[in-house]
Amino acid sequence: MKTAVTDSGIGGLFVVEKLLKRTRAGKILYLADNAHSPYGDLPEPVLRRIVKRNCEKLVAMGAEAIVLACNTATAVCIDGLRVDFPDTVFVGTEPAVKPAARESDILTVMATPLTLKQPRFRALLEKTGAKLNLPDCEALAYLIEKHYPDLREAEEKTERLLAAYPREKLGAVVLGCTHYACLSKFIESRFSCKVFDGAGGVSATVMRRCAPLDGNRSVVIEATDPSDLPRYLELASAICKVPVYPADDRPYMRR
């Protein structure tokens, strides 16, 4: 099945990397919506319009399945997208709160403010019955998007956020934004806790609903702001460790 992945910037590349490792993924189209990053700062109606327009573009390019590699876009948009595009498979990204709750009865959930406001997300958290810590992660995704692979500012902010909780009350840390995946090892090392993200659930769903994927292992990248495309190509090559091509030079799914 011809599969695309989209996010507001580099965060979804960490999901693509997991798909390449954990599934029979072949060629994956990645749409980096860097023109509107980060999604967590946008009003909901604006985000819905942007994500729908991006999905229209991906469907026009031949995508039969679209992975929303963004917790915020999933929480706000996925139900409407499934109505608007009934012939397209949509796979959302949600934090791994269920496996985290099996590990600890205290969850420290790092997510964007917009994600935390969503009824879908709050219901997911409440079902665990765990005690919840919800640090204010505003601007964290922006720091990662702007500076990656330099994570010094993002790690300093993460340090301040999590150090506010006594070690015994930190519990398991759940990453509710795909951008935060690059902080996983830092958090585990600095706070000696287990860290969970949604990539495993995405991989399992893609295997079940979308595999086998199409073509040789590679990533084809489209960016909504082409001026930053060279950076995304470089980052995708480093993160995914497969051949990476710009969509204009290597048309995807049109043959």
Side-chain angles (χ1 to χ4, degrees):
M1 180 175 286
K2 297 173 181 176
T3 299
V5 177
T6 185
D7 189 16
S8 61
I10 68 167
L13 288 174
F14 302 116
V15 175
V16 172
E17 185 248 348
K18 295 295 191 305
L19 291 177
L20 290 167
K21 280 185 176 179
R22 300 178 182 179
T23 73
R24 291 172 286 168
K27 182 166 55 177
I28 295 177
L29 172 63
Y30 184 67
L31 175 61
D33 189 9
N34 53 327
H36 303 103
S37 179
Y39 281 167
D41 293 344
L42 298 176
E44 290 181 37
V46 173
L47 179 58
R48 290 191 184 96
R49 287 198 300 273
I50 289 169
V51 174
K52 181 179 179 181
R53 185 167 64 243
N54 289 340
C55 290
E56 287 172 345
K57 182 175 186 177
L58 292 172
V59 169
M61 294 177 76
E64 299 165 301
I66 298 174
V67 177
L68 297 183
C70 173
N71 293 269
T72 302
T74 298
V76 174
C77 305
I78 197 166
D79 291 336
L81 292 172
R82 285 170 171 157
V83 173
D84 293 333
F85 302 92
D87 297 325
T88 304
V89 174
F90 283 92
V91 178
T93 304
E94 293 183 330
V97 295
K98 291 180 181 178
R102 291 194 290 268
E103 179 68 27
S104 175
D105 59 0
I106 302 173
L107 302 181
T108 299
V109 182
M110 300 178 65
T112 67
L114 183 54
T115 297
L116 290 176
K117 284 195 252 181
Q118 298 307 307
R120 180 192 187 101
F121 186 76
R122 297 301 296 232
L124 183 66
L125 295 179
E126 290 166 6
K127 284 179 183 178
T128 67
K131 181 183 183 304
L132 301 174
N133 300 318
L134 303 173
D136 182 2
C137 295
E138 186 173 6
L140 183 57
Y142 170 80
L143 291 175
I144 296 168
E145 180 68 29
K146 182 178 180 182
H147 299 296
Y148 187 87
D150 183 349
L151 293 172
R152 286 173 293 181
E153 288 190 52
E155 288 177 351
E156 288 171 4
K157 182 176 179 66
T158 301
E159 171 88 18
R160 293 194 300 271
L161 291 173
L162 298 185
Y165 303 98
R167 187 66 59 88
E168 68 275 9
K169 294 185 179 180
L170 189 64
V173 174
V174 179
L175 304 180
C177 172
T178 52
H179 278 73
Y180 304 166
C182 59
L183 297 169
S184 180
K185 290 182 180 179
F186 169 77
I187 295 170
E188 289 176 344
S189 173
R190 177 64 183 83
F191 294 94
S192 301
C193 61
K194 290 200 174 182
V195 179
F196 297 81
D197 65 33
V202 173
S203 299
T205 303
V206 168
M207 279 292 290
R208 186 175 69 251
R209 302 187 64 189
C210 308
L213 303 186
D214 188 52
N216 296 324
R217 286 164 56 85
S218 60
V219 179
V220 179
I221 295 186
E222 181 92 343
T224 54
D225 178 0
S227 67
D228 214 19
L229 181 59
R231 176 173 179 252
Y232 284 101
L233 292 168
E234 183 178 348
L235 291 176
S237 180
I239 292 168
C240 300
K241 297 178 175 60
V242 297
V244 176
Y245 308 99
D248 288 344
D249 289 354
R250 187 66 62 93
Y252 180 73
M253 304 173 178
R254 294 196 179 101
R255 288 189 283 275

